[in-house]
Amino acid sequence: MAWVEIVALLAVIQLLVFGMLVGRARMTYGIKAPATVGHEVFERYYRVQTNTIETLVVFLPALWISAKYWSPQLIALIGVVYLVGRMLYWRGYVRDPKQRGVGYMLSALPTLALIAAGLAGAVKALLR
């Protein structure tokens, strides 16, 4: 389970980094709190952070539950794909929101796979 724990914590660290980047963008573009609009590039950073929060709410439970029933190494590897996807999503979205597609898919598909794996594992355990 150590690999799964590392991936989970890396996902949290990634979110913290995205939050710091939002803070830096806030200063760079002169967006005073609590405003969340005012400069297009700032808004992109902000959306990446917000979208990452939204995905983590689904990703983390799916990661932990699926790791209970399947190989933790395999589940962690799927989680790494999610992390890479989030990074690509960040880079693409900040450059041009139209470039976020690959990153989005590389974070959405692993999350869906983890949900399916966790559900399948739980149902299988229930039927035993």
Side-chain angles (χ1 to χ4, degrees):
M1 285 292 282
W3 288 110
V4 173
E5 294 162 351
I6 290 168
V7 168
L9 291 171
L10 286 174
V12 171
I13 291 167
Q14 187 176 59
L15 175 62
L16 291 173
V17 170
F18 290 165
M20 288 187 280
L21 292 172
V22 169
R24 187 174 74 182
R26 185 177 288 282
M27 290 177 11
T28 299
Y29 300 106
I31 309 300
K32 295 185 191 296
T36 57
V37 296
H39 192 280
E40 183 179 350
V41 176
F42 165 76
E43 293 170 17
R44 293 176 189 175
Y45 278 100
Y46 182 75
R47 280 302 307 147
V48 168
Q49 179 198 27
T50 302
N51 185 265
T52 301
I53 292 168
E54 293 165 352
T55 62
L56 269 181
V57 170
V58 178
F59 171 75
L60 288 175
L63 179 76
W64 285 105
I65 293 168
S66 59
K68 179 178 177 181
Y69 299 106
W70 306 101
S71 163
Q73 292 84 1
L74 174 62
I75 297 304
L77 183 60
I78 295 170
V80 168
V81 174
Y82 166 89
L83 293 172
V84 171
R86 285 280 94 196
M87 191 61 78
L88 292 173
Y89 180 82
W90 164 70
R91 289 187 67 202
Y93 202 118
V94 169
R95 287 181 182 161
D96 177 2
K98 294 175 188 166
Q99 295 180 9
R100 73 187 189 275
V102 171
Y104 178 81
M105 292 307 292
L106 286 176
S107 53
L109 293 176
T111 301
L112 292 172
L114 293 172
I115 291 168
L119 185 59
V123 168
K124 184 177 173 183
L126 185 65
L127 297 176
R128 285 187 201 165

mmCIF file of all heavy atoms in Angstrom, residues 74-126:
data_model
loop_
_atom_site.group_PDB
_atom_site.id
_atom_site.type_symbol
_atom_site.label_atom_id
_atom_site.label_comp_id
_atom_site.label_asym_id
_atom_site.label_seq_id
_atom_site.Cartn_x
_atom_site.Cartn_y
_atom_site.Cartn_z
ATOM 1 N N LEU A 74 -0.439 -1.864 -9.246
ATOM 2 C CA LEU A 74 -1.191 -1.528 -10.455
ATOM 3 C C LEU A 74 -2.053 -0.285 -10.227
ATOM 4 O O LEU A 74 -2.100 0.622 -11.068
ATOM 5 C CB LEU A 74 -2.074 -2.703 -10.893
ATOM 6 C CG LEU A 74 -3.023 -2.428 -12.064
ATOM 7 C CD1 LEU A 74 -2.230 -2.067 -13.323
ATOM 8 C CD2 LEU A 74 -3.923 -3.620 -12.309
ATOM 9 N N ILE A 75 -2.702 -0.237 -9.096
ATOM 10 C CA ILE A 75 -3.565 0.906 -8.769
ATOM 11 C C ILE A 75 -2.722 2.176 -8.660
ATOM 12 O O ILE A 75 -3.113 3.238 -9.157
ATOM 13 C CB ILE A 75 -4.356 0.631 -7.474
ATOM 14 C CG1 ILE A 75 -5.293 -0.577 -7.665
ATOM 15 C CG2 ILE A 75 -5.117 1.869 -7.025
ATOM 16 C CD1 ILE A 75 -6.258 -0.468 -8.826
ATOM 17 N N ALA A 76 -1.552 2.065 -8.045
ATOM 18 C CA ALA A 76 -0.660 3.227 -7.949
ATOM 19 C C ALA A 76 -0.219 3.682 -9.330
ATOM 20 O O ALA A 76 -0.141 4.893 -9.596
ATOM 21 C CB ALA A 76 0.543 2.898 -7.071
ATOM 22 N N LEU A 77 0.055 2.746 -10.206
ATOM 23 C CA LEU A 77 0.457 3.095 -11.573
ATOM 24 C C LEU A 77 -0.658 3.856 -12.296
ATOM 25 O O LEU A 77 -0.404 4.856 -12.982
ATOM 26 C CB LEU A 77 0.839 1.835 -12.348
ATOM 27 C CG LEU A 77 1.350 2.038 -13.769
ATOM 28 C CD1 LEU A 77 2.606 2.900 -13.779
ATOM 29 C CD2 LEU A 77 1.625 0.692 -14.412
ATOM 30 N N ILE A 78 -1.874 3.404 -12.113
ATOM 31 C CA ILE A 78 -3.020 4.126 -12.681
ATOM 32 C C ILE A 78 -3.088 5.532 -12.081
ATOM 33 O O ILE A 78 -3.360 6.514 -12.778
ATOM 34 C CB ILE A 78 -4.332 3.349 -12.456
ATOM 35 C CG1 ILE A 78 -4.300 2.029 -13.240
ATOM 36 C CG2 ILE A 78 -5.548 4.189 -12.847
ATOM 37 C CD1 ILE A 78 -5.421 1.074 -12.903
ATOM 38 N N GLY A 79 -2.800 5.625 -10.792
ATOM 39 C CA GLY A 79 -2.772 6.932 -10.134
ATOM 40 C C GLY A 79 -1.691 7.846 -10.684
ATOM 41 O O GLY A 79 -1.889 9.068 -10.794
ATOM 42 N N VAL A 80 -0.558 7.274 -11.055
ATOM 43 C CA VAL A 80 0.512 8.077 -11.656
ATOM 44 C C VAL A 80 0.058 8.666 -12.991
ATOM 45 O O VAL A 80 0.374 9.817 -13.314
ATOM 46 C CB VAL A 80 1.809 7.242 -11.808
ATOM 47 C CG1 VAL A 80 2.829 7.956 -12.679
ATOM 48 C CG2 VAL A 80 2.397 6.934 -10.437
ATOM 49 N N VAL A 81 -0.704 7.898 -13.749
ATOM 50 C CA VAL A 81 -1.242 8.420 -15.016
ATOM 51 C C VAL A 81 -2.124 9.638 -14.722
ATOM 52 O O VAL A 81 -2.057 10.653 -15.422
ATOM 53 C CB VAL A 81 -2.019 7.339 -15.792
ATOM 54 C CG1 VAL A 81 -2.696 7.929 -17.031
ATOM 55 C CG2 VAL A 81 -1.095 6.193 -16.167
ATOM 56 N N TYR A 82 -2.932 9.553 -13.663
ATOM 57 C CA TYR A 82 -3.756 10.691 -13.247
ATOM 58 C C TYR A 82 -2.876 11.915 -12.958
ATOM 59 O O TYR A 82 -3.168 13.028 -13.408
ATOM 60 C CB TYR A 82 -4.579 10.328 -12.004
ATOM 61 C CG TYR A 82 -5.190 11.525 -11.317
ATOM 62 C CD1 TYR A 82 -6.442 11.998 -11.688
ATOM 63 C CD2 TYR A 82 -4.509 12.194 -10.293
ATOM 64 C CE1 TYR A 82 -7.005 13.114 -11.066
ATOM 65 C CE2 TYR A 82 -5.058 13.311 -9.671
ATOM 66 C CZ TYR A 82 -6.297 13.756 -10.059
ATOM 67 O OH TYR A 82 -6.847 14.856 -9.454
ATOM 68 N N LEU A 83 -1.790 11.716 -12.209
ATOM 69 C CA LEU A 83 -0.901 12.825 -11.855
ATOM 70 C C LEU A 83 -0.287 13.474 -13.095
ATOM 71 O O LEU A 83 -0.224 14.706 -13.200
ATOM 72 C CB LEU A 83 0.209 12.344 -10.923
ATOM 73 C CG LEU A 83 -0.209 11.903 -9.528
ATOM 74 C CD1 LEU A 83 0.967 11.277 -8.796
ATOM 75 C CD2 LEU A 83 -0.777 13.076 -8.738
ATOM 76 N N VAL A 84 0.160 12.653 -14.009
ATOM 77 C CA VAL A 84 0.720 13.169 -15.264
ATOM 78 C C VAL A 84 -0.362 13.919 -16.041
ATOM 79 O O VAL A 84 -0.124 15.008 -16.582
ATOM 80 C CB VAL A 84 1.328 12.030 -16.104
ATOM 81 C CG1 VAL A 84 1.710 12.519 -17.501
ATOM 82 C CG2 VAL A 84 2.540 11.426 -15.392
ATOM 83 N N GLY A 85 -1.551 13.359 -16.060
ATOM 84 C CA GLY A 85 -2.663 14.015 -16.737
ATOM 85 C C GLY A 85 -2.968 15.384 -16.160
ATOM 86 O O GLY A 85 -3.193 16.354 -16.895
ATOM 87 N N ARG A 86 -2.955 15.482 -14.843
ATOM 88 C CA ARG A 86 -3.204 16.780 -14.194
ATOM 89 C C ARG A 86 -2.122 17.789 -14.562
ATOM 90 O O ARG A 86 -2.410 18.969 -14.764
ATOM 91 C CB ARG A 86 -3.240 16.628 -12.670
ATOM 92 C CG ARG A 86 -4.490 15.999 -12.137
ATOM 93 C CD ARG A 86 -5.652 16.968 -12.052
ATOM 94 N NE ARG A 86 -6.466 16.899 -13.244
ATOM 95 C CZ ARG A 86 -7.355 17.790 -13.635
ATOM 96 N NH1 ARG A 86 -7.580 18.873 -12.937
ATOM 97 N NH2 ARG A 86 -8.042 17.648 -14.727
ATOM 98 N N MET A 87 -0.880 17.326 -14.642
ATOM 99 C CA MET A 87 0.216 18.230 -15.003
ATOM 100 C C MET A 87 0.045 18.719 -16.447
ATOM 101 O O MET A 87 0.206 19.905 -16.731
ATOM 102 C CB MET A 87 1.557 17.521 -14.832
ATOM 103 C CG MET A 87 2.731 18.459 -14.937
ATOM 104 S SD MET A 87 2.721 19.742 -13.673
ATOM 105 C CE MET A 87 3.310 18.821 -12.285
ATOM 106 N N LEU A 88 -0.296 17.792 -17.337
ATOM 107 C CA LEU A 88 -0.527 18.179 -18.727
ATOM 108 C C LEU A 88 -1.746 19.102 -18.844
ATOM 109 O O LEU A 88 -1.758 20.035 -19.656
ATOM 110 C CB LEU A 88 -0.709 16.941 -19.605
ATOM 111 C CG LEU A 88 0.537 16.072 -19.779
ATOM 112 C CD1 LEU A 88 0.185 14.794 -20.531
ATOM 113 C CD2 LEU A 88 1.646 16.838 -20.476
ATOM 114 N N TYR A 89 -2.757 18.832 -18.048
ATOM 115 C CA TYR A 89 -3.947 19.677 -18.017
ATOM 116 C C TYR A 89 -3.551 21.096 -17.619
ATOM 117 O O TYR A 89 -3.953 22.072 -18.264
ATOM 118 C CB TYR A 89 -4.966 19.096 -17.029
ATOM 119 C CG TYR A 89 -6.239 19.897 -16.912
ATOM 120 C CD1 TYR A 89 -7.260 19.740 -17.836
ATOM 121 C CD2 TYR A 89 -6.419 20.786 -15.871
ATOM 122 C CE1 TYR A 89 -8.445 20.465 -17.727
ATOM 123 C CE2 TYR A 89 -7.592 21.519 -15.748
ATOM 124 C CZ TYR A 89 -8.594 21.355 -16.680
ATOM 125 O OH TYR A 89 -9.758 22.078 -16.570
ATOM 126 N N TRP A 90 -2.757 21.231 -16.562
ATOM 127 C CA TRP A 90 -2.297 22.535 -16.093
ATOM 128 C C TRP A 90 -1.538 23.273 -17.200
ATOM 129 O O TRP A 90 -1.844 24.419 -17.513
ATOM 130 C CB TRP A 90 -1.421 22.364 -14.849
ATOM 131 C CG TRP A 90 -0.601 23.573 -14.533
ATOM 132 C CD1 TRP A 90 -1.044 24.778 -14.075
ATOM 133 C CD2 TRP A 90 0.807 23.703 -14.700
ATOM 134 N NE1 TRP A 90 0.003 25.649 -13.932
ATOM 135 C CE2 TRP A 90 1.162 25.005 -14.305
ATOM 136 C CE3 TRP A 90 1.815 22.843 -15.120
ATOM 137 C CZ2 TRP A 90 2.466 25.467 -14.345
ATOM 138 C CZ3 TRP A 90 3.118 23.293 -15.142
ATOM 139 C CH2 TRP A 90 3.429 24.597 -14.763
ATOM 140 N N ARG A 91 -0.553 22.597 -17.776
ATOM 141 C CA ARG A 91 0.262 23.240 -18.816
ATOM 142 C C ARG A 91 -0.589 23.656 -20.017
ATOM 143 O O ARG A 91 -0.450 24.762 -20.527
ATOM 144 C CB ARG A 91 1.381 22.307 -19.265
ATOM 145 C CG ARG A 91 2.456 22.154 -18.200
ATOM 146 C CD ARG A 91 3.640 21.374 -18.677
ATOM 147 N NE ARG A 91 4.313 22.151 -19.707
ATOM 148 C CZ ARG A 91 5.112 21.638 -20.614
ATOM 149 N NH1 ARG A 91 5.355 20.361 -20.635
ATOM 150 N NH2 ARG A 91 5.697 22.396 -21.521
ATOM 151 N N GLY A 92 -1.450 22.769 -20.461
ATOM 152 C CA GLY A 92 -2.279 23.073 -21.611
ATOM 153 C C GLY A 92 -3.280 24.178 -21.338
ATOM 154 O O GLY A 92 -3.436 25.097 -22.144
ATOM 155 N N TYR A 93 -3.950 24.104 -20.204
ATOM 156 C CA TYR A 93 -4.998 25.071 -19.894
ATOM 157 C C TYR A 93 -4.427 26.473 -19.735
ATOM 158 O O TYR A 93 -5.004 27.452 -20.221
ATOM 159 C CB TYR A 93 -5.738 24.658 -18.621
ATOM 160 C CG TYR A 93 -7.115 25.252 -18.497
ATOM 161 C CD1 TYR A 93 -8.233 24.437 -18.450
ATOM 162 C CD2 TYR A 93 -7.310 26.619 -18.413
ATOM 163 C CE1 TYR A 93 -9.505 24.968 -18.325
ATOM 164 C CE2 TYR A 93 -8.588 27.159 -18.278
ATOM 165 C CZ TYR A 93 -9.666 26.330 -18.246
ATOM 166 O OH TYR A 93 -10.931 26.869 -18.119
ATOM 167 N N VAL A 94 -3.281 26.593 -19.056
ATOM 168 C CA VAL A 94 -2.702 27.912 -18.846
ATOM 169 C C VAL A 94 -2.234 28.521 -20.171
ATOM 170 O O VAL A 94 -2.419 29.707 -20.408
ATOM 171 C CB VAL A 94 -1.557 27.854 -17.810
ATOM 172 C CG1 VAL A 94 -0.770 29.158 -17.775
ATOM 173 C CG2 VAL A 94 -2.123 27.538 -16.428
ATOM 174 N N ARG A 95 -1.687 27.694 -21.050
ATOM 175 C CA ARG A 95 -1.248 28.201 -22.364
ATOM 176 C C ARG A 95 -2.431 28.615 -23.229
ATOM 177 O O ARG A 95 -2.451 29.683 -23.818
ATOM 178 C CB ARG A 95 -0.440 27.138 -23.091
ATOM 179 C CG ARG A 95 0.931 26.941 -22.526
ATOM 180 C CD ARG A 95 1.678 25.901 -23.316
ATOM 181 N NE ARG A 95 2.988 25.679 -22.723
ATOM 182 C CZ ARG A 95 3.727 24.619 -22.940
ATOM 183 N NH1 ARG A 95 3.296 23.672 -23.758
ATOM 184 N NH2 ARG A 95 4.884 24.484 -22.357
ATOM 185 N N ASP A 96 -3.391 27.695 -23.331
ATOM 186 C CA ASP A 96 -4.575 27.925 -24.160
ATOM 187 C C ASP A 96 -5.611 26.886 -23.749
ATOM 188 O O ASP A 96 -5.366 25.681 -23.904
ATOM 189 C CB ASP A 96 -4.229 27.773 -25.641
ATOM 190 C CG ASP A 96 -5.423 27.924 -26.563
ATOM 191 O OD1 ASP A 96 -6.547 28.178 -26.082
ATOM 192 O OD2 ASP A 96 -5.231 27.781 -27.780
ATOM 193 N N PRO A 97 -6.753 27.299 -23.208
ATOM 194 C CA PRO A 97 -7.747 26.330 -22.729
ATOM 195 C C PRO A 97 -8.110 25.248 -23.737
ATOM 196 O O PRO A 97 -8.499 24.152 -23.358
ATOM 197 C CB PRO A 97 -8.948 27.205 -22.374
ATOM 198 C CG PRO A 97 -8.352 28.522 -22.007
ATOM 199 C CD PRO A 97 -7.170 28.683 -22.937
ATOM 200 N N LYS A 98 -7.950 25.531 -25.027
ATOM 201 C CA LYS A 98 -8.250 24.524 -26.040
ATOM 202 C C LYS A 98 -7.249 23.375 -26.010
ATOM 203 O O LYS A 98 -7.513 22.312 -26.571
ATOM 204 C CB LYS A 98 -8.259 25.169 -27.431
ATOM 205 C CG LYS A 98 -9.381 26.161 -27.626
ATOM 206 C CD LYS A 98 -9.273 26.842 -28.966
ATOM 207 C CE LYS A 98 -10.295 27.968 -29.041
ATOM 208 N NZ LYS A 98 -10.021 28.859 -30.163
ATOM 209 N N GLN A 99 -6.106 23.566 -25.343
ATOM 210 C CA GLN A 99 -5.062 22.540 -25.272
ATOM 211 C C GLN A 99 -5.181 21.647 -24.043
ATOM 212 O O GLN A 99 -4.286 20.862 -23.771
ATOM 213 C CB GLN A 99 -3.679 23.200 -25.286
ATOM 214 C CG GLN A 99 -3.356 23.926 -26.553
ATOM 215 C CD GLN A 99 -1.980 24.565 -26.502
ATOM 216 O OE1 GLN A 99 -1.196 24.345 -25.589
ATOM 217 N NE2 GLN A 99 -1.675 25.359 -27.509
ATOM 218 N N ARG A 100 -6.260 21.738 -23.316
ATOM 219 C CA ARG A 100 -6.398 20.975 -22.077
ATOM 220 C C ARG A 100 -6.895 19.550 -22.281
ATOM 221 O O ARG A 100 -6.881 18.741 -21.362
ATOM 222 C CB ARG A 100 -7.312 21.702 -21.111
ATOM 223 C CG ARG A 100 -8.784 21.671 -21.477
ATOM 224 C CD ARG A 100 -9.593 22.566 -20.555
ATOM 225 N NE ARG A 100 -11.011 22.403 -20.738
ATOM 226 C CZ ARG A 100 -11.746 23.025 -21.649
ATOM 227 N NH1 ARG A 100 -11.183 23.867 -22.493
ATOM 228 N NH2 ARG A 100 -13.046 22.824 -21.720
ATOM 229 N N GLY A 101 -7.313 19.200 -23.485
ATOM 230 C CA GLY A 101 -7.995 17.932 -23.739
ATOM 231 C C GLY A 101 -7.213 16.686 -23.367
ATOM 232 O O GLY A 101 -7.732 15.800 -22.688
ATOM 233 N N VAL A 102 -5.959 16.585 -23.798
ATOM 234 C CA VAL A 102 -5.163 15.386 -23.504
ATOM 235 C C VAL A 102 -4.978 15.240 -22.000
ATOM 236 O O VAL A 102 -5.165 14.154 -21.436
ATOM 237 C CB VAL A 102 -3.798 15.438 -24.225
ATOM 238 C CG1 VAL A 102 -2.885 14.316 -23.750
ATOM 239 C CG2 VAL A 102 -3.993 15.371 -25.731
ATOM 240 N N GLY A 103 -4.625 16.329 -21.342
ATOM 241 C CA GLY A 103 -4.455 16.283 -19.887
ATOM 242 C C GLY A 103 -5.734 15.910 -19.168
ATOM 243 O O GLY A 103 -5.724 15.144 -18.203
ATOM 244 N N TYR A 104 -6.839 16.443 -19.647
ATOM 245 C CA TYR A 104 -8.125 16.110 -19.040
ATOM 246 C C TYR A 104 -8.412 14.612 -19.175
ATOM 247 O O TYR A 104 -8.797 13.959 -18.203
ATOM 248 C CB TYR A 104 -9.255 16.934 -19.662
ATOM 249 C CG TYR A 104 -10.585 16.574 -19.072
ATOM 250 C CD1 TYR A 104 -10.970 17.103 -17.854
ATOM 251 C CD2 TYR A 104 -11.434 15.670 -19.710
ATOM 252 C CE1 TYR A 104 -12.181 16.747 -17.282
ATOM 253 C CE2 TYR A 104 -12.646 15.312 -19.143
ATOM 254 C CZ TYR A 104 -13.022 15.855 -17.933
ATOM 255 O OH TYR A 104 -14.208 15.489 -17.363
ATOM 256 N N MET A 105 -8.219 14.096 -20.370
ATOM 257 C CA MET A 105 -8.494 12.674 -20.594
ATOM 258 C C MET A 105 -7.560 11.781 -19.770
ATOM 259 O O MET A 105 -7.983 10.743 -19.266
ATOM 260 C CB MET A 105 -8.382 12.328 -22.079
ATOM 261 C CG MET A 105 -9.467 12.967 -22.926
ATOM 262 S SD MET A 105 -11.154 12.647 -22.338
ATOM 263 C CE MET A 105 -11.291 10.910 -22.656
ATOM 264 N N LEU A 106 -6.298 12.196 -19.632
ATOM 265 C CA LEU A 106 -5.341 11.397 -18.867
ATOM 266 C C LEU A 106 -5.555 11.503 -17.360
ATOM 267 O O LEU A 106 -4.894 10.801 -16.596
ATOM 268 C CB LEU A 106 -3.902 11.782 -19.218
ATOM 269 C CG LEU A 106 -3.410 11.289 -20.567
ATOM 270 C CD1 LEU A 106 -2.010 11.804 -20.849
ATOM 271 C CD2 LEU A 106 -3.447 9.762 -20.643
ATOM 272 N N SER A 107 -6.448 12.368 -16.942
ATOM 273 C CA SER A 107 -6.835 12.364 -15.527
ATOM 274 C C SER A 107 -8.243 11.810 -15.339
ATOM 275 O O SER A 107 -8.515 11.159 -14.333
ATOM 276 C CB SER A 107 -6.689 13.750 -14.902
ATOM 277 O OG SER A 107 -7.370 14.732 -15.629
ATOM 278 N N ALA A 108 -9.112 12.006 -16.314
ATOM 279 C CA ALA A 108 -10.480 11.490 -16.200
ATOM 280 C C ALA A 108 -10.536 9.974 -16.390
ATOM 281 O O ALA A 108 -11.206 9.268 -15.612
ATOM 282 C CB ALA A 108 -11.391 12.179 -17.211
ATOM 283 N N LEU A 109 -9.853 9.460 -17.390
ATOM 284 C CA LEU A 109 -9.919 8.013 -17.657
ATOM 285 C C LEU A 109 -9.349 7.167 -16.516
ATOM 286 O O LEU A 109 -9.973 6.173 -16.127
ATOM 287 C CB LEU A 109 -9.251 7.681 -18.991
ATOM 288 C CG LEU A 109 -9.973 8.226 -20.229
ATOM 289 C CD1 LEU A 109 -9.180 7.918 -21.492
ATOM 290 C CD2 LEU A 109 -11.389 7.687 -20.319
ATOM 291 N N PRO A 110 -8.194 7.519 -15.943
ATOM 292 C CA PRO A 110 -7.727 6.741 -14.786
ATOM 293 C C PRO A 110 -8.706 6.810 -13.611
ATOM 294 O O PRO A 110 -8.899 5.815 -12.908
ATOM 295 C CB PRO A 110 -6.393 7.395 -14.424
ATOM 296 C CG PRO A 110 -5.940 8.060 -15.652
ATOM 297 C CD PRO A 110 -7.186 8.494 -16.370
ATOM 298 N N THR A 111 -9.311 7.967 -13.416
ATOM 299 C CA THR A 111 -10.281 8.086 -12.326
ATOM 300 C C THR A 111 -11.473 7.163 -12.566
ATOM 301 O O THR A 111 -11.919 6.456 -11.651
ATOM 302 C CB THR A 111 -10.738 9.552 -12.177
ATOM 303 O OG1 THR A 111 -9.596 10.365 -11.906
ATOM 304 C CG2 THR A 111 -11.742 9.706 -11.048
ATOM 305 N N LEU A 112 -11.970 7.139 -13.790
ATOM 306 C CA LEU A 112 -13.077 6.235 -14.119
ATOM 307 C C LEU A 112 -12.668 4.774 -13.961
ATOM 308 O O LEU A 112 -13.455 3.950 -13.473
ATOM 309 C CB LEU A 112 -13.583 6.508 -15.536
ATOM 310 C CG LEU A 112 -14.276 7.856 -15.743
ATOM 311 C CD1 LEU A 112 -14.566 8.085 -17.227
ATOM 312 C CD2 LEU A 112 -15.545 7.946 -14.905
ATOM 313 N N ALA A 113 -11.437 4.459 -14.358
ATOM 314 C CA ALA A 113 -10.940 3.087 -14.199
ATOM 315 C C ALA A 113 -10.876 2.707 -12.726
ATOM 316 O O ALA A 113 -11.235 1.577 -12.350
ATOM 317 C CB ALA A 113 -9.567 2.939 -14.853
ATOM 318 N N LEU A 114 -10.431 3.627 -11.883
ATOM 319 C CA LEU A 114 -10.357 3.350 -10.445
ATOM 320 C C LEU A 114 -11.746 3.183 -9.833
ATOM 321 O O LEU A 114 -11.947 2.324 -8.968
ATOM 322 C CB LEU A 114 -9.581 4.458 -9.728
ATOM 323 C CG LEU A 114 -8.102 4.549 -10.065
ATOM 324 C CD1 LEU A 114 -7.481 5.805 -9.444
ATOM 325 C CD2 LEU A 114 -7.355 3.298 -9.618
ATOM 326 N N ILE A 115 -12.696 3.985 -10.279
ATOM 327 C CA ILE A 115 -14.074 3.833 -9.800
ATOM 328 C C ILE A 115 -14.599 2.451 -10.176
ATOM 329 O O ILE A 115 -15.165 1.742 -9.334
ATOM 330 C CB ILE A 115 -14.984 4.934 -10.375
ATOM 331 C CG1 ILE A 115 -14.612 6.288 -9.786
ATOM 332 C CG2 ILE A 115 -16.460 4.625 -10.119
ATOM 333 C CD1 ILE A 115 -15.264 7.460 -10.502
ATOM 334 N N ALA A 116 -14.394 2.066 -11.417
ATOM 335 C CA ALA A 116 -14.863 0.754 -11.886
ATOM 336 C C ALA A 116 -14.170 -0.369 -11.121
ATOM 337 O O ALA A 116 -14.820 -1.341 -10.703
ATOM 338 C CB ALA A 116 -14.620 0.609 -13.382
ATOM 339 N N ALA A 117 -12.870 -0.250 -10.915
ATOM 340 C CA ALA A 117 -12.124 -1.285 -10.192
ATOM 341 C C ALA A 117 -12.585 -1.378 -8.743
ATOM 342 O O ALA A 117 -12.773 -2.481 -8.211
ATOM 343 C CB ALA A 117 -10.623 -0.992 -10.256
ATOM 344 N N GLY A 118 -12.776 -0.251 -8.110
ATOM 345 C CA GLY A 118 -13.244 -0.256 -6.720
ATOM 346 C C GLY A 118 -14.631 -0.843 -6.590
ATOM 347 O O GLY A 118 -14.898 -1.655 -5.706
ATOM 348 N N LEU A 119 -15.510 -0.466 -7.480
ATOM 349 C CA LEU A 119 -16.878 -0.999 -7.450
ATOM 350 C C LEU A 119 -16.889 -2.489 -7.718
ATOM 351 O O LEU A 119 -17.560 -3.261 -7.023
ATOM 352 C CB LEU A 119 -17.750 -0.248 -8.454
ATOM 353 C CG LEU A 119 -19.229 -0.594 -8.456
ATOM 354 C CD1 LEU A 119 -19.849 -0.320 -7.093
ATOM 355 C CD2 LEU A 119 -19.941 0.216 -9.533
ATOM 356 N N ALA A 120 -16.134 -2.915 -8.730
ATOM 357 C CA ALA A 120 -16.056 -4.352 -9.048
ATOM 358 C C ALA A 120 -15.492 -5.138 -7.872
ATOM 359 O O ALA A 120 -16.000 -6.217 -7.526
ATOM 360 C CB ALA A 120 -15.208 -4.574 -10.303
ATOM 361 N N GLY A 121 -14.451 -4.617 -7.256
ATOM 362 C CA GLY A 121 -13.862 -5.298 -6.102
ATOM 363 C C GLY A 121 -14.833 -5.391 -4.932
ATOM 364 O O GLY A 121 -14.937 -6.441 -4.282
ATOM 365 N N ALA A 122 -15.560 -4.314 -4.666
ATOM 366 C CA ALA A 122 -16.512 -4.326 -3.559
ATOM 367 C C ALA A 122 -17.665 -5.275 -3.826
ATOM 368 O O ALA A 122 -18.096 -6.025 -2.921
ATOM 369 C CB ALA A 122 -17.021 -2.904 -3.313
ATOM 370 N N VAL A 123 -18.180 -5.272 -5.056
ATOM 371 C CA VAL A 123 -19.278 -6.176 -5.395
ATOM 372 C C VAL A 123 -18.802 -7.622 -5.310
ATOM 373 O O VAL A 123 -19.501 -8.496 -4.753
ATOM 374 C CB VAL A 123 -19.839 -5.864 -6.809
ATOM 375 C CG1 VAL A 123 -20.769 -6.957 -7.287
ATOM 376 C CG2 VAL A 123 -20.552 -4.518 -6.780
ATOM 377 N N LYS A 124 -17.611 -7.896 -5.812
ATOM 378 C CA LYS A 124 -17.046 -9.245 -5.736
ATOM 379 C C LYS A 124 -16.905 -9.692 -4.285
ATOM 380 O O LYS A 124 -17.259 -10.831 -3.937
ATOM 381 C CB LYS A 124 -15.676 -9.257 -6.436
ATOM 382 C CG LYS A 124 -15.026 -10.615 -6.510
ATOM 383 C CD LYS A 124 -13.703 -10.510 -7.279
ATOM 384 C CE LYS A 124 -12.959 -11.812 -7.221
ATOM 385 N NZ LYS A 124 -11.652 -11.726 -7.887
ATOM 386 N N ALA A 125 -16.439 -8.815 -3.428
ATOM 387 C CA ALA A 125 -16.295 -9.148 -1.999
ATOM 388 C C ALA A 125 -17.656 -9.379 -1.355
ATOM 389 O O ALA A 125 -17.802 -10.274 -0.509
ATOM 390 C CB ALA A 125 -15.553 -8.019 -1.290
ATOM 391 N N LEU A 126 -18.641 -8.609 -1.761
ATOM 392 C CA LEU A 126 -19.992 -8.753 -1.208
ATOM 393 C C LEU A 126 -20.610 -10.099 -1.596
ATOM 394 O O LEU A 126 -21.309 -10.719 -0.801
ATOM 395 C CB LEU A 126 -20.870 -7.613 -1.719
ATOM 396 C CG LEU A 126 -22.265 -7.522 -1.153
ATOM 397 C CD1 LEU A 126 -22.212 -7.204 0.337
ATOM 398 C CD2 LEU A 126 -23.049 -6.456 -1.896
#
